[in-house]
Amino acid sequence: MKLGVIGLGHVGLVTAVCFAEKGFEVIGMDKDKKRIQDLRNKKLPFYEPGLGELLEKNFNRLKLTDSIKEIVENVDVVFLCVGTPPLSDGSVDLSQVEDATREIAKILNRYILIVEKSTVPVKTAEWIKRVMSLYVRENIHFEVASNPEFLREGSAIRDFLKPDRIVVGIESDRAKKIFEEIYKDFEAPIIFTDIETAEIIKHASNAFLATKISFINMIADLCEKTGADILKVAEGMGLDKRIGREFLNAGIGYGGSCFPKDVKAFYRIGEELGLDFNLLKCTDKINEERIDKFIEKIKRVLWIIKDKTFGVWGLSFKPGTDDVREAPSLKIVRKIIEEGGTCRVYDPYAMDNFKRDFGENEKIYYAKDIYDASRNAHAILILTEWEEFKRAEFSKIKEMMETPIIVDGRNCLDREKICKLGFIYIPTGRKGCGY
Ligand code: NAD
C-alpha cells in the first residue's frame, strides 16, 4: 500500500517520515516549492528532535513532490495534513482543506481514501465529501475518514510512533481494513468510530488539556494570595490517578498553534449549535490574563518599565521546538516595548522565527546566549523552560546585571539555589525571595 501526505508542516512531515520508518512507500506533497526543494536536500523547515536523522534513514522510501497529480495518481490513501489556522472571530479557516480536496477531486481517476489528519471542526468530513462530489468525475469511488493527530512538537516522533491511542473515524469495512493494515505494527489501542466522533475526540482532548492548564493557573493565583505552594498543590493533586500530574504546570499560559485556536474553535462550534460552552471561554480568558499578571509581577519589583532592560530567556511556546506561533513571548516582549523598555532576547532555536513574526524593532537585541542576554539587565524574564537555562552560572549572571531580579514564568529554576545567591526571585504561584 502506498501512502500520500498532503501538507508537510509539523504534522505532515512527521507523519510522512514515520510511515516511511514503518516500511511504507510514502509520497509527501506540499505546494510550497521551496520547502520541497529544501527537503530534497535534507534541509528541515523547522526544528524537531530526531526528525533529521529519521528523514535521512528513510529517504529512499520517501518521495517528495509539489505536484498534486503525482501524489493522487500514485497512492491508495492520502492524509490531509494542511494547516487549519484561526480566523479573527475564533472560527477555523478551512480554505487549505477545501483547496487540497478540490485539487484531489479534479485529478482522481480511481478509488482513494482521503484521511483528515489536520484538526478540524466536527462535520468537516461532510464538507470534504460534498466538495469531492462537486469536482470529481462521475463513477469514481472515494471515501473520507478521520484520523486526528495527537503528537506534540518537541516529542513528535515518539508521540507518532508510540501513541497512547489511535483514533479512526470510518464509514466502511474497506476503510477499516486499510487502517488495520496501516497501523498493524503500532502498539497502541485503536478506537474505531464514526467520523463525527473522531473529529470531536481531537477537539475535546485539546480543549480539556488547555482547561487543565488554565485551572492550575487559577489555583496558582490563589497560592500567591495565600502563601501556598503551587508545585506542592500540583504534586498533591497529580498523584491522584484520576487527575494525573501532566498539564498541571502553572506559568504564563499555553501557546502554540493548537491549544489557543482549538479552544476558540470548539467554543464557536458550541455557539453555532446553540450550546453553552462558557467553560471554554473562561479557559481562554484565564490564559489571556496570564500575560498581564506576568507584567504586573515585573512592576511589583521594578515599578516602572520605561528605560529598563530585560533579559528574555526563551521565545518558543515550549521547549523542544522553534515554533513561536501564539507564544507568550511575543505578547510579553510587545508589552514591554510599548511601555518603553528594551529586550535582550535569547532562545536556542526560535530566534529566526521570533524575528520573522515580531518584525524588526530597535528595542530588541538578539543575544548570542543567555549571558549576552543578561548583560546590564534590570530583570531576567524566563518564558520557556529550556533545560540549558537551569544549568546557567548564576553567580556570573548576577555580576552582569544592573539589578539581580529573575521573574520565572515557568517555575523552572531551583528556588533555594537562586535565593541563596542573593537574587530577587519571583516564581509563579509560590513564594520567592527578596521582595
Ligand atoms: P503547518 O502550517 O506547519 O503546515 C501546513 C503545511 O500545509 C504547510 O507546509 C503548507 O504549505 C501546506 N499546504 C497548505 N495548503 C496546501 C495544499 N493545498 N496542498 C499542499 N500543501 C498545502 O501546520 P501543522 O502545524 O503541521 O498543522 C497541521 C494540522 O495539524 C493543523 O490542523 C493542526 O491544528 C494539526 N495539528 C498540529 C499539531 C502541532 O503540534 N503542530 C499537532 C496535532 C495536530
Side-chain angles (χ1 to χ4, degrees):
M1 187 172 1
K2 265 198 182 169
L3 306 182
V5 176
I6 296 186
L8 298 176
H10 277 83
V11 167
L13 188 55
V14 170
T15 300
V17 170
C18 288
F19 278 144
E21 167 74 7
K22 286 287 184 185
F24 289 100
E25 293 290 317
V26 182
I27 303 183
M29 182 265 167
D30 200 293
K31 66 177 186 182
D32 180 344
K33 288 184 167 40
K34 177 163 183 325
R35 179 162 295 210
I36 294 299
Q37 202 47 52
D38 284 348
L39 281 169
R40 282 179 182 152
N41 294 322
K42 299 178 185 171
K43 188 172 167 225
L44 295 179
F46 50 83
Y47 169 69
E48 178 61 45
L51 185 58
E53 293 82 341
L54 214 61
L55 174 72
E56 174 80 51
K57 184 177 164 210
N58 295 291
F59 207 62
N60 58 347
R61 272 198 293 271
L62 181 61
K63 196 162 187 191
L64 298 156
T65 180
D66 58 21
S67 154
I68 190 83
K69 195 165 183 304
E70 185 169 358
I71 192 166
V72 173
E73 286 182 351
N74 290 293
V75 302
D76 311 290
V77 184
V78 67
F79 289 84
L80 288 184
C81 300
V82 296
T84 52
L87 291 166
S88 55
D89 65 356
S91 63
V92 184
D93 176 358
L94 291 164
S95 58
Q96 295 181 32
V97 175
E98 192 268 352
D99 186 34
T101 307
R102 198 166 14 90
E103 295 292 313
I104 295 171
K106 284 186 198 164
I107 289 160
L108 199 65
N109 55 9
R110 63 186 172 92
Y111 173 86
I112 201 167
L113 177 63
I114 301 170
V115 185
E116 300 171 339
K117 215 171 210 344
S118 301
T119 304
V120 292
V122 58
K123 291 286 181 195
T124 297
E126 282 300 315
W127 274 108
I128 294 178
K129 279 189 257 175
R130 275 195 235 176
V131 171
M132 285 298 291
S133 304
L134 270 181
Y135 296 94
V136 86
R137 268 175 272 164
E138 270 176 55
N139 301 327
I140 293 177
H141 184 42
F142 65 85
E143 280 190 277
V144 178
S146 165
N147 174 213
E149 184 47 58
F150 297 95
L151 65 76
R152 296 161 294 178
E153 289 173 23
S155 55
I157 306 282
R158 194 189 57 222
D159 291 348
F160 191 96
L161 292 172
K162 294 190 186 309
D164 291 342
R165 81 300 206 186
I166 295 163
V167 174
V168 179
I170 29 123
E171 287 181 324
S172 72
D173 276 349
R174 181 177 186 174
K176 188 170 185 233
K177 285 202 178 77
I178 290 175
F179 278 104
E180 280 168 348
E181 175 65 19
I182 292 173
Y183 288 116
K184 69 174 187 302
D185 287 339
F186 286 68
E187 284 164 31
I190 304 187
I191 298 178
F192 283 107
T193 174
D194 58 83
I195 294 180
E196 285 75 18
T197 304
E199 290 171 332
I200 290 178
I201 288 172
K202 172 63 192 180
H203 255 158
S205 301
N206 274 9
F208 184 83
L209 291 172
T211 302
K212 207 172 166 189
I213 295 173
S214 281
F215 184 88
I216 203 68
N217 279 330
M218 178 184 82
I219 305 298
D221 291 346
L222 177 65
C223 288
E224 283 178 17
K225 293 275 185 215
T226 55
D229 187 330
I230 193 65
L231 292 188
K232 288 285 169 198
V233 172
E235 186 187 346
M237 286 172 65
L239 283 169
D240 183 329
K241 285 193 191 72
R242 294 168 304 174
I243 299 173
R245 178 62 182 81
E246 284 197 73
F247 289 80
L248 286 183
N249 296 322
I252 49 177
Y254 56 78
S257 67
C258 292
F259 286 0
K261 92 167 157 70
D262 291 349
V263 167
K264 287 189 179 74
F266 211 36
Y267 175 78
R268 283 282 308 207
I269 291 166
E271 216 173 38
E272 277 164 22
L273 297 173
L275 300 170
D276 183 357
F277 276 17
N278 256 327
L279 172 65
L280 298 184
K281 216 170 200 175
C282 294
T283 297
D284 188 40
K285 182 168 171 281
I286 290 171
N287 198 55
E288 297 277 335
E289 287 169 357
R290 300 318 289 168
I291 305 299
D292 284 337
K293 285 193 196 280
F294 187 74
I295 298 285
E296 275 167 30
K297 279 188 184 156
I298 301 171
K299 290 184 177 173
R300 216 176 295 154
V301 274
L302 271 175
W303 188 19
I304 303 291
I305 283 184
K306 187 165 180 280
D307 296 332
K308 304 290 188 312
T309 298
F310 296 89
V312 177
W313 290 16
L315 300 171
S316 58
F317 81 92
K318 65 172 184 178
T321 178
D322 60 357
D323 200 341
V324 299
R325 289 180 282 183
E326 298 286 330
S329 64
L330 289 164
K331 293 179 190 154
I332 289 170
V333 169
R334 184 157 290 122
K335 278 203 185 267
I336 288 173
I337 288 175
E338 276 166 10
E339 294 207 20
T342 299
C343 292
R344 297 175 69 87
V345 305
Y346 173 73
D347 188 285
Y349 290 96
M351 301 282 263
D352 289 344
N353 285 344
F354 187 86
K355 211 182 273 184
R356 186 201 58 212
D357 285 12
F358 199 89
E360 284 300 320
N361 194 299
E362 58 179 14
K363 292 281 200 174
I364 299 182
Y365 168 77
Y366 289 91
K368 286 190 284 294
D369 53 29
I370 39 174
Y371 302 96
D372 189 23
S374 310
R375 209 176 304 281
N376 302 324
H378 292 84
I380 286 168
L381 313 178
I382 302 186
L383 308 188
T384 317
E385 62 276 38
W386 286 101
E387 272 305 311
E388 69 174 75
F389 296 169
K390 300 175 190 173
R391 296 191 298 267
E393 277 183 63
F394 284 97
S395 46
K396 183 172 154 187
I397 281 165
K398 186 164 172 248
E399 291 300 309
M400 301 167 80
M401 295 178 71
E402 186 73 21
T403 47
I405 299 167
I406 298 179
V407 190
D408 189 347
R410 299 296 188 184
N411 282 340
C412 77
L413 299 188
D414 177 341
R415 176 177 65 184
E416 277 61 44
K417 182 176 127 190
I418 297 296
C419 291
K420 225 183 228 168
L421 286 169
F423 279 95
I424 295 171
Y425 178 63
I426 311 168
T428 306
R430 59 197 310 239
K431 284 184 200 142
C433 57
Y435 62 99

